[in-house]
Amino acid sequence: MTSLEKAVIARLTIGDNHFEILVDPKAAVDLIDGKEVDILSSLAVDEVFKDARKGERASEEVIQKCFGTTDIAEVAKQIILRGNIQLTTEQRHEMQKRKFNQIVEIIAKNAMDPRTKTPHPRKRIELAMEEAGVHIDPFKPVDQQVKEVIEKIRPILPISMEQVKISVKIPATHIGKAYGIVRNFGTLLKEEWQSDGSWVGIIQIPAGLQAEFYDKINDVTKGNVETKLLS
C-alpha cells in the first residue's frame, strides 16, 4: 500500500454517483500509459469512497451497478482511466518533467535529420520543443504525445521517425562479444558466415540509435569491425 501522504484523489462521476480512491500518482500515470501496475499496492486505502476526505464509502450495491463488479482493483482501474486525478502543482510539474524526458528519449532514439540521415542530439530536440511552445500533458499517453510533439517541432527542426539499415562485418576473433550486441540491438535482416570465420549481417535499428550502436560495436571489437550505412 502507498502512504496517505503520497496519495492523491482520483475521481469519477457516473450519473448521480460519485466515486473516489486514494492512489499513488505515479502508479496512476503509469496505468494511463498502458504499463502493468499493481493497483492494490498503489492504493493508500483498500476502499472506494463517495467522499474520500470525509471517509464516506460507496456502497457495494452502487459500485456493482455502475461498474459491473465490486472488485476493488478493477473499479480503481476504471476510476483512474475514465476519471480525473487531483495533483498538486508540484506533483503536476514532476509528472510533466517525467513525461517530457520520456518523450525526448523516444524521439532521440527513433528520429533523425532526413537531410543528413543522422540523429538529433537530445539538447537540440529539447530546444525545439521549447521554441515550439510544446505543452506536456501529465495524463496523456506518451506515444500519443510523441506524434503531436514531432508535428509541432517539424517546422523548426527537420525530423523524421525512421529505421536505418546497417551492414556489419565482424572478424572471427571478435564474434564472441560482438555478435550478441548486434543481434540484440535491432532487427537482424540478413546474416552470413564467411569461410574465414567472420560474420556479415544487415541490421535494422531506429535512426537515433546509430551513434550508440557504433560506439558499442567499436568498443567490443577495439575498432576492428566494418560498418556501412545502407541507403
Side-chain angles (χ1 to χ4, degrees):
M1 306 291 283
T2 193
S3 67
L4 283 169
E5 292 75 20
K6 292 182 179 179
V8 295
I9 297 176
R11 296 186 172 99
L12 174 65
T13 298
I14 301 176
D16 295 327
N17 300 297
H18 192 66
F19 304 96
E20 298 182 350
I21 56 172
L22 294 167
V23 64
D24 180 277
K26 292 182 179 179
V29 172
D30 281 345
L31 181 67
I32 292 170
D33 279 343
K35 298 178 182 177
E36 289 292 329
V37 175
D38 184 347
I39 289 296
L40 289 180
S41 66
S42 302
L43 297 177
V45 182
D46 195 8
E47 295 282 354
V48 177
F49 301 91
K50 59 180 180 181
D51 190 323
R53 296 190 187 281
K54 294 180 180 180
E56 297 179 3
R57 294 177 174 83
S59 71
E60 288 193 356
E61 292 79 12
V62 173
I63 293 173
Q64 177 68 41
K65 177 184 175 182
C66 293
F67 295 95
T69 181
T70 56
D71 180 75
I72 297 297
E74 180 57 34
V75 172
K77 285 182 181 179
Q78 290 193 43
I79 291 174
I80 293 168
L81 295 174
R82 297 165 56 189
N84 58 77
I85 302 170
Q86 304 301 307
L87 296 180
T88 65
T89 300
E90 182 180 352
Q91 288 169 330
R92 181 174 290 275
H93 287 164
E94 182 183 344
M95 295 297 178
Q96 287 176 318
K97 183 179 179 181
R98 181 182 173 199
K99 287 212 168 181
F100 178 91
N101 289 330
Q102 290 175 332
I103 290 167
V104 172
E105 183 71 17
I106 290 172
I107 294 175
K109 284 187 174 181
N110 294 278
M112 68 177 181
D113 186 328
R115 303 167 303 179
T116 62
K117 304 298 182 183
T118 57
H120 286 297
R122 285 181 58 97
K123 190 62 179 179
R124 188 183 299 165
I125 296 169
E126 291 173 358
L127 290 173
M129 289 171 65
E130 182 179 342
E131 184 177 342
V134 170
H135 170 73
I136 303 300
D137 188 331
F139 299 118
K140 197 169 185 178
V142 168
D143 58 348
Q144 291 183 22
Q145 296 196 70
V146 165
K147 296 176 184 178
E148 295 171 0
V149 169
I150 288 175
E151 289 305 311
K152 287 182 179 178
I153 67 175
R154 185 166 279 139
I156 299 168
L157 188 69
I159 191 168
S160 63
M161 298 285 277
E162 293 185 27
Q163 300 271 316
V164 294
K165 296 177 182 178
I166 301 172
S167 68
V168 185
K169 183 176 182 180
I170 306 170
T173 53
H174 296 289
I175 289 294
K177 293 182 178 179
Y179 181 70
I181 288 177
V182 173
R183 284 196 65 92
N184 294 327
F185 225 94
T187 303
L188 186 60
L189 303 178
K190 181 180 179 181
E191 64 176 333
E192 292 180 2
W193 294 91
Q194 307 299 299
S195 58
D196 62 356
S198 63
W199 176 89
V200 176
I202 297 176
I203 185 174
Q204 181 172 278
I205 65 174
L209 291 182
Q210 292 177 73
E212 184 179 345
F213 175 73
Y214 293 138
D215 286 345
K216 287 192 175 181
I217 200 69
N218 277 295
D219 182 54
V220 297
T221 63
K222 303 297 189 291
N224 191 16
V225 62
E226 296 177 27
T227 59
K228 181 180 179 182
L229 180 63
L230 304 176
S231 59

